[in-house]
Amino acid sequence: MTVLSVQNLKMYYKTSAGEVKAVDGLNFDIGEREVLGIAGESGCGKSSLASTLLKLLPSNAEIKEGKIIVEDADLVSMKDSDVRRNVRWTRIALVPQGAMNALNPVFRVGDQIAEAIMAHSNVSKADARAKTETLLKLVGIDPARGRHYPHEFSGGMKQRAMIAMSLALNPKILIADEPTTALDVIVQAGIIRLLLSVKDEFQTGVILISHDLALVAQMSDKTAIMYAGKFVEYGASKEVYKNPLHPYTLGLLGAFADIRKPKEALTSVPGSPPDLIDPPSGCRFNPRCPYAEEVCRTDEPPLVEAFPGHSVACHFWKEIRAQRSQKT
Amino acid sequence: MSDEDVILDVEHVKKYFPVRRTFLQAVSRQSGGQVHAVDDVSFKVRKGEIFGLAGESGSGKTTFLRTALMLTAPTSGSIKFKGTEISRFNRRQMKKFRTRIQVIFQDPYESVNPRMTVFDIVSEGLYVNNLVKSREDAVQRVTKALSDVEISPPEEFIYRYPHELSGGQRQRVAIARALVLEPELILADEPVSMLDVSIRAEVINVLLSIREKKGISIIMVTHDLALSKDMVDELAIMYVGKLVETGPAVDVVSSPYHPYTHALTAAVPVPDPDAPKIRVLARGEIPTNISPPPGCRFHPRCPFAQEICKNEEPPLVEATPGRKVACHFWKEAHEAFSKGMDAPAGAEIAQ
C-alpha cells in the first residue's frame, strides 16, 4: 500500500540573485515498510526535499508545482495549520540531521518526548509519560534515562531518543535526513539496524537521505540518485547498484571506497555541482560528464524507464552501457 | 628496512590531561583524575610511507597528531624525527624545525583564510620562515607547489580567493601550503572526510602522487577503514588511547586479528544491496578515557572476553610477521572470523 506519493514536485527559493531550483520535478511513491534512499552530494537539494515534504520551509521558499499525497490528502494545497495539526509527527515525522543539536539542552529527554506527544494528541500527562517509557525501551534506552538531560547522553543515544520521539505518534512515514552524520561507524550500524527494525514494527515507510552510497545500498529497497534538484536515476536498489546506468551514478560508485575489495584506485567526478540559480542548459550534469555530446548541452533528457522499475535521465545510457559491457 | 629509513620514531608516548576537580574533590584534596588521551603509543613511520591511524572519536587520534606536531608536549615518552629527539626542543629549536613536519586539516572551508588569496595562503609559510628573498622567488615556489597539487594553470589561480574554489581545490591549496615548505613528513587529519564523495579521489590521488614523486611520508588520521585500505600502507587501530592492532592496511582490514578491528570492519556499509547487512559486534559505546576499564580496555564490549581480560592488559606484540595485536585471545578470534563467525560458539553477540 502506498503511504506517500509525490508528483512533479517543484520547490524554488527566491533570492535576490534569482530562483534557486532546489527541488525540480520529482516523482516517487513509498509503500508501507518500504525504504527509499535518496543519495546525492551537498547542494543537490536532498535536504530541501525533506523540508518540502514536511512543509517546514523558510519564507522565501515556494512550492511551485506538484502534489504530496499522504492518505488521499494533498499537503501542498493544505493549510499550514492543518499540516501542523494533522500531518507533522502524526503522519510524517522527521529524524533530523545532527541529533546532537536537535534536543533542547535544558529539558529532560523524557519530558521532551512526552511534550511532543501531548502537543499533537489528546492524551493525559500520565499516558504520555507511559508512552515515552515504552518508546525509550523500544529504541534500546533504559526508560530511567528519560529523567536525564541531553548532555548526559552519548551521540548515539541522542539519535536513538530522536528516533523514539519521531515514532511517538505512529507516523506513516519517517524522513531520516543523514541520520548518522557525526556518529562513529559502530554506533551508526546500531542506528541503521534500529531504523530497519522500527519501520517493520510500526509499518512506516522511510525516506533515507544520505550522501553515503553504501548506507543507502544497505538500507533501501529503492534508490534515487539526485543531482541538481532532479533524480538522474531511480529504481529498485538492486538494479541501481548492480546495473548503474547514469554517468553520475557510475562516477559516484567509482569514487567510493569499498571495504570488501582489494586495494583499488579511486576516481573522481571532476568539477563541482552546478549553481541552481542558473543551472547548465540541457542535462545539468553535462559539464562534468565524460560522455557529454552536443545534444546534452541543448536538450534535457527526461527520466525514462530503461528497464522495468529502473529509470534513468541520460541521452546515452544505452551506448554507455554497451561500451562498459564491452570493456569487461 | 633499515632504521635509517625511519622518519618518525614514536616510543611510549603518553599524553594525559588533568581533569578539573569538582568542588568536593577540591575540599577533600583529592585529584580530579586524568584523561588518558594517548596512553603508551609506539610506532615507526618510514620514508615515503603513508601511515594510517584509525579509530572512533575519543580514541586519541587527534591528540596524538597534536603531540607529534609538538603543539602540546607529551606527558612522557619520546618522539624522534630522523634520530633527533623533538619532544625536548625549546621554542626556538621548534620554530626552526617546524618546516619539516607540516599539517593538513580536516575542513578546507575552515582552514584557509577567506580574505587571503591563494598566493598569500600558500606563501605565508615561506615568509614566516624567511625562506624567500624576493617576490619573484615566492611566486615561483608557490606556482610550483600549486602545480604539484594539480591546480592548473597555477598562474590563473594564484590571485583567486577561496570562495572561488571548489572544496577539492581548497583542500589541494591547503596541501600546497604544506608542500611549499618542502617537508619530509605531512600529518593529515581526516583530509577528505568533509569533502563530497565525487571529489574525494582528486585529493587522495594528489596525496598519493606527492608521496610517490617526493618521497614524503604521511601520517593520516581517519575513521574510514575502507579508504585506509586503498590509501594507507601501514595501519594502526587505536582504542581509548592505545594501539590495539597494527600491520599492512590491506591485511588488517581484510583479515583482522583484534575483535575491535573486526567490529569496526563489520559495521562499515558496502555499496551493494545484496551484501550481508552491517553488524554491531561491540556492546555499548566507547568508554571515557578518564577512568578506562582495567585490564584490556575493550573487554566490556568484547564477545571474546574472559576473566584474564578484566585483570591483565594485553601488550601489543608481534602476532605474525609484520603484524602486531594487543589481545589475549587473538588466535581464537582470528580463527572464528576466518570461519565467518563473529563470536566464539555460544557467546552472546551485541545485537
Side-chain angles (χ1 to χ4, degrees), chain A residues 74-149:
Chain A
D74 176 20
L75 309 193
V76 174
S77 54
M78 199 183 279
K79 274 195 300 191
D80 278 352
S81 55
D82 288 342
V83 173
R84 189 171 64 232
R85 211 171 305 128
N86 299 325
V87 177
R88 247 177 258 144
W89 294 96
T90 51
R91 291 191 186 156
I92 307 185
L94 177 73
V95 179
Q97 185 169 8
M100 320 292 174
N101 310 318
L103 290 161
N104 189 330
V106 299
F107 291 101
R108 296 177 202 276
V109 173
D111 291 352
Q112 296 188 48
I113 299 174
E115 187 198 357
I117 298 172
M118 286 189 293
H120 293 270
S121 60
N122 294 319
V123 293
S124 70
K125 203 165 182 175
D127 287 349
R129 283 259 163 84
K131 175 99 202 223
T132 302
E133 290 196 356
T134 323
L135 287 166
L136 286 175
K137 220 180 283 170
L138 182 88
V139 298
I141 297 177
D142 175 4
R145 294 293 302 261
R147 292 191 48 77
H148 289 192
Y149 289 93

Side-chain angles (χ1 to χ4, degrees), chain B residues 31-199:
Chain B
S31 91
Q34 284 173 317
V35 176
H36 301 64
V38 176
D39 206 356
D40 203 357
V41 164
S42 305
F43 62 83
K44 291 181 170 65
V45 180
R46 299 197 156 79
K47 185 171 164 55
E49 182 176 63
I50 301 186
F51 188 93
L53 202 54
E56 292 176 275
S57 11
S59 62
K61 307 178 300 245
T62 300
T63 304
F64 174 77
L65 268 200
R66 291 174 53 85
T67 315
L69 281 166
M70 285 296 293
L71 292 174
T72 165
T75 309
S76 68
S78 96
I79 302 171
K80 290 201 190 87
F81 184 86
K82 291 176 121 180
T84 314
E85 178 63 56
I86 62 169
S87 57
R88 307 278 175 274
F89 273 0
N90 62 30
R91 279 182 90 111
R92 241 189 44 228
Q93 287 170 308
M94 200 61 220
K95 190 181 175 221
K96 254 179 93 179
F97 175 75
R98 284 225 183 274
T99 57
R100 303 174 70 184
I101 304 185
Q102 285 292 304
V103 61
I104 302 163
F105 297 99
Q106 182 170 13
D107 187 353
Y109 291 87
E110 302 274 351
S111 70
V112 295
N113 188 333
R115 294 167 65 156
M116 285 162 79
T117 62
V118 169
F119 174 79
D120 293 337
I121 292 164
V122 179
S123 67
E124 194 178 17
L126 292 172
Y127 286 108
V128 168
N129 291 290
N130 287 321
L131 293 174
V132 281
K133 291 179 202 76
S134 62
R135 190 175 164 87
E136 288 72 47
D137 195 10
V139 170
Q140 199 197 345
R141 290 178 68 170
V142 169
T143 315
K144 173 78 179 54
L146 289 176
S147 55
D148 283 339
V149 297
E150 285 155 36
I151 295 227
S152 65
E155 306 78 38
E156 232 173 74
F157 278 90
I158 224 166
Y159 297 112
R160 286 198 194 169
Y161 285 90
H163 75 263
E164 297 169 283
L165 306 176
S166 70
Q169 286 170 340
R170 277 175 194 237
Q171 192 61 309
R172 283 184 284 142
V173 165
I175 297 172
R177 170 173 63 186
L179 220 48
V180 78
L181 297 170
E182 296 171 3
E184 287 166 85
L185 173 66
I186 289 181
L187 307 186
D189 190 358
E190 307 253 17
V192 297
S193 68
M194 297 297 287
L195 302 175
D196 269 322
V197 174
S198 71
I199 53 174

Side-chain angles (χ1 to χ4, degrees), chain B residues 179-297:
Chain B
L179 220 48
V180 78
L181 297 170
E182 296 171 3
E184 287 166 85
L185 173 66
I186 289 181
L187 307 186
D189 190 358
E190 307 253 17
V192 297
S193 68
M194 297 297 287
L195 302 175
D196 269 322
V197 174
S198 71
I199 53 174
R200 275 180 195 179
E202 73 182 48
V203 172
I204 292 163
N205 292 336
V206 159
L207 287 172
L208 290 174
S209 92
I210 60 173
R211 179 273 288 271
E212 203 62 44
K213 286 188 203 142
K214 297 175 187 286
I216 296 176
S217 313
I218 300 172
I219 299 182
M220 186 169 98
V221 161
T222 179
H223 63 265
D224 188 338
L225 285 183
L227 186 65
S228 308
K229 175 216 48 165
D230 290 333
M231 206 185 149
V232 162
D233 304 313
E234 189 77 3
L235 181 65
I237 308 286
M238 204 165 177
Y239 186 73
V240 199
K242 290 195 176 280
L243 300 187
V244 294
E245 179 161 5
T246 66
V250 179
D251 300 342
V252 171
V253 169
S254 62
S255 168
Y257 289 168
H258 199 286
Y260 176 62
T261 315
H262 181 68
L264 284 177
T265 56
V268 175
V270 292
D272 177 357
D274 289 338
K277 289 277 175 276
I278 43 181
R279 306 183 307 288
V280 183
L281 303 177
R283 298 175 207 118
E285 291 184 25
I286 189 165
T288 86
N289 32 24
I290 297 178
S291 48
C296 171
R297 294 184 177 185

